[in-house]
Structures are given as C-alpha cells and as structure tokens.
Amino acid sequence: MIRGRTALRKGWQEGHVIVAPAEFAGSLSAVQVAAHLTAGLRRARPDIPVLPIPVADGGDGTVDAMVAAGFSRMQTNVSGPVGDSVVASFAMRAETAVVELAEASGLRRLRGRPDAASALYSTSTGTGELIRTAVAGGARRIVLGLGGSACTDGGAGLLTALGARLLDAHGHPLPPGGAALRRLAHIDTRGLLRVPLVVASAVDNPLLGRRGAAQVYAPFKGAGPREVDALEAGLARFAEITRRELGADEADRRGAGAGGGVGFAALAFLDATIRPGIEIILEELDFGAVVAGARVVVTGEGALDEQSLYGRAPIGVARAAWKAEVPVVAVSQRCEVDRDLLRRFGVEAAFALTDMEPDPRVCASQAGSLLEQLAVGIADAHLGRRLIRNY
C-alpha cells in the first residue's frame, strides 16, 4: 500500500505510538492536529517513536490526509459550486486517484455565507471535472470522498461533467443546481465516462424523505423551508426519471443522500460501491499493518458527539486498532458523549481541550498549543505502561 510507511515501520521497535486524528473543523487540519500531538508526545517521551498518520472519513481534509501519507497532490482549475473557477486538488498514486467533493463543490468554496440562492443553484460539476482530469492523467480507480458539499443536486452536475446530458421536455440541457431537476424529462448517458468508483462516506442517508439529502442537510447549506421543498421535488423527479429510463432504483439505498445526493448518482449511473469513508482511507494508508505492535493509538476530531459513533473517523480508527489489540485514546476540542459509551466503541480514554480551557473561542484560537499540552498529559498518564482493557 503506502510504500513510504512500509519502509518506515520496518526499522521500528515494538511499542511505537500512532497519532491518527481527523481535522478539528474550523480550527486545525488533520495534518496540523497530528503535528501538534506528535510534538507534545515527543517532548514528554523522546524515547518512544511516534508516527503521525492524519486521517479523514471522506469529507474535508481527505486529500490532505492522503498527500501526507505519500500520495501526490494534483491541482487543476475546475468549476466551483456556483460556477466560478477554483483551483482544486486530488491525490494520486499509481492508478488510484482520491477525489474529495468538498475540494471543488464544498461549502468552503462559496464566496461568503451560504444562502437560499446558493442552496438552489450549487452544483457538483467541478467534482466531475476533477474525476475526468484524474482519468485523463492515468487513474483507473477513483475513491470519491463525500462530505462538506455546498450542493444538493443529486450528482447531476458531476454526471454532466462526465458526459451525460440532462434534458427538459424541449430537449434543452438543464441549468445547474438541484432546483432545476424539477424540469427533468430525459437523461442521455451515451457519452457518459465510466470508471471504477468507490464512494467514501461518513453518512448512510437515503436520497429522499425526512432523512434525505434535502431535508437533513440542505438547511445547513442556506436553504429555508421553500428551498428544501424545491430541492426535495427536484431530487424526487431525478429519481423517478432515472428509474423510468435506466431501470435503476437507488434512491432508498444507504448513502444515496450523501454529498447532496451525489451518492445517488454514483450508485445509479456509475455502478459505484459505497462504504464508510474511514474504512477506505485506512485501507489506503495500510493502517492495519502499521498499527501492529503499537503501544497506543491517539485519534480524535473537533467534536466527539453522538454522530461520531456512526461512521466518523475516530471510531473507525478505534475499530481498526481493536483488531490489532491496540488501545485507543481520543482527543477533541469538546467531548459531548459519555466516556463510558465511548469505551463500548473501543476508546479507552477521551480528553477534550475544553477540560483545560472552558472558553470555546480560546480553544479554537489556541488549539495547537493546547493540544501539545494535552499530549504531554497523555504521555504521562498512558505511556509509562501498556494500557489494560476494561471493557
């Protein structure tokens, strides 16, 4: 898998520490979190080897995590979520490309805060352009991370960028965005570029309904009640025409609503498989081999909450470490889930920056130095002996 990681671990003795956090959203990237934790651990215990492995679950930071692990960063100009040109990256190694929806079509690409207009018209076109560029560069397998999207277009823009045509009753191409799908009459897939695709997602929502892409996630993208209704209607029309013309009935599949419905397009048109994003990323990082013989794994993310228990990075890391019988410590900016419950999911101990500094604004602005202090405490508490499981 990761050639550099394989070479590194060959010279290591039993008892190394792995630092495998996800990003602290709005504060530090996964790479930065790993660097600060590593610095604190090394300061406290310079005798113990520490291996930083930033991780992600398919959302923001996925490309950065893969680049940190030895993939090459490739950059290109693509369409942003509202049509303006942006410079976006994907990660590539050999014939595998890792494409992150948030890179081209994410909320962070909007100029200003999301609003009703951006909710209706944002598109996944740029993500399709990234995939096309990766294929042109030699990729024969695409890992597509979903998360952090600005769009609720069901993947219509992605399909258009890959050569499909979505037409109204007069044979005219639909404009971008989920609301326009209400006028969809015909889908022409004769020019569609097809490539083996694995979707990495942290959510399992269906396309439609109260747990669907529009009703659950569109409000976070600037949609009010009217916009949610319009987007729901557009996605429902998209699913209906897809079923009628392609015979593909994927709207109720787990993960079809991921990435504003991009999961649906991947399933129905590209014959994709959808898996928990953190599992895919850990496989690409060869985590199962690297964790063997470790003393402890330190993982975490910005907020440990109930959602963390269902598909997000820290629990995925904990499950992988469990298989290797390596205990796990989690860190976060704030911890909103009972520590005893975390133990049931394989997390031996959990530490939050708010335990040290109760002001969340200070936690965000001084997250790096606080993480280093926290790492020193973790080293004092957990690296003098091997942790003993009590669950």
Side-chain angles (χ1 to χ4, degrees), residues 91-268:
M92 192 157 176
R93 189 194 67 212
E95 295 185 341
T96 294
V98 178
V99 176
E100 177 186 324
L101 177 68
E103 264 290 303
S105 313
L107 283 168
R108 70 173 186 256
R109 293 299 190 179
L110 293 176
R111 295 178 178 175
R113 296 176 62 85
D115 55 24
S118 64
L120 292 174
Y121 305 123
S122 287
T123 174
S124 56
T125 300
T127 302
E129 292 170 352
L130 280 178
I131 293 174
R132 183 175 282 278
T133 300
V135 172
R140 298 296 176 264
R141 173 177 176 266
I142 304 292
V143 175
L144 175 60
L146 301 186
S149 71
C151 58
T152 312
D153 71 344
L158 179 147
L159 294 173
T160 300
L162 293 180
R165 300 177 70 222
L166 279 64
L167 309 172
D168 64 18
H170 302 288
H172 300 142
L174 293 180
L181 290 170
R182 292 174 295 178
R183 306 200 306 275
L184 180 64
H186 176 59
I187 305 171
D188 181 356
T189 61
R190 289 174 295 179
L192 180 63
L193 174 66
R194 302 179 190 275
V195 61
L197 186 68
V198 179
V199 172
S201 176
V203 303
D204 62 359
N205 303 69
L207 181 66
L208 305 171
R210 62 181 183 83
R211 293 190 62 246
Q215 294 192 38
V216 173
Y217 298 109
F220 298 101
K221 305 174 187 181
R226 287 186 179 181
E227 290 76 33
V228 169
D229 288 346
L231 293 167
E232 178 78 6
L235 294 175
R237 179 67 174 173
F238 192 17
E240 176 190 350
I241 300 300
T242 300
R243 183 170 55 250
R244 186 186 75 193
E245 298 198 352
L246 278 70
D249 190 5
E250 305 288 351
D252 292 333
R253 286 274 299 276
R254 294 167 62 93
V262 171
F264 169 76
L267 287 167

Side-chain angles (χ1 to χ4, degrees), residues 65-78:
M66 303 312 293
V67 170
F71 278 59
S72 297
R73 183 186 299 276
M74 316 299 290
Q75 290 187 318
T76 186
N77 288 298
V78 297

Side-chain angles (χ1 to χ4, degrees), residues 244-340:
R244 186 186 75 193
E245 298 198 352
L246 278 70
D249 190 5
E250 305 288 351
D252 292 333
R253 286 274 299 276
R254 294 167 62 93
V262 171
F264 169 76
L267 287 167
F269 293 84
L270 301 172
D271 196 28
T273 57
I274 295 184
R275 295 176 54 205
I278 185 59
E279 290 183 6
I280 297 172
I281 300 306
L282 291 178
E283 286 177 6
E284 295 296 328
L285 296 174
D286 200 15
F287 188 82
V290 175
V291 75
R295 174 178 295 196
V296 66
V297 173
V298 182
T299 187
E301 62 180 345
L304 281 171
D305 54 28
E306 292 287 341
Q307 290 300 313
S308 301
L309 304 179
Y310 303 100
R312 295 227 297 254
I315 300 305
V317 170
R319 286 172 176 161
W322 170 269
K323 294 177 182 178
E325 299 186 345
V326 177
V328 174
V329 172
V331 299
S332 62
Q333 199 158 302
R334 61 186 189 277
C335 183
E336 300 172 354
V337 64
D338 186 81
R339 263 73 166 184
D340 289 334

Side-chain angles (χ1 to χ4, degrees), residues 342-358:
L342 283 172
R343 289 191 184 96
R344 299 179 193 174
F345 284 82
V347 177
E348 185 77 28
F351 302 88
L353 299 189
T354 51
D355 295 337
M356 304 167 61
E357 171 51 64

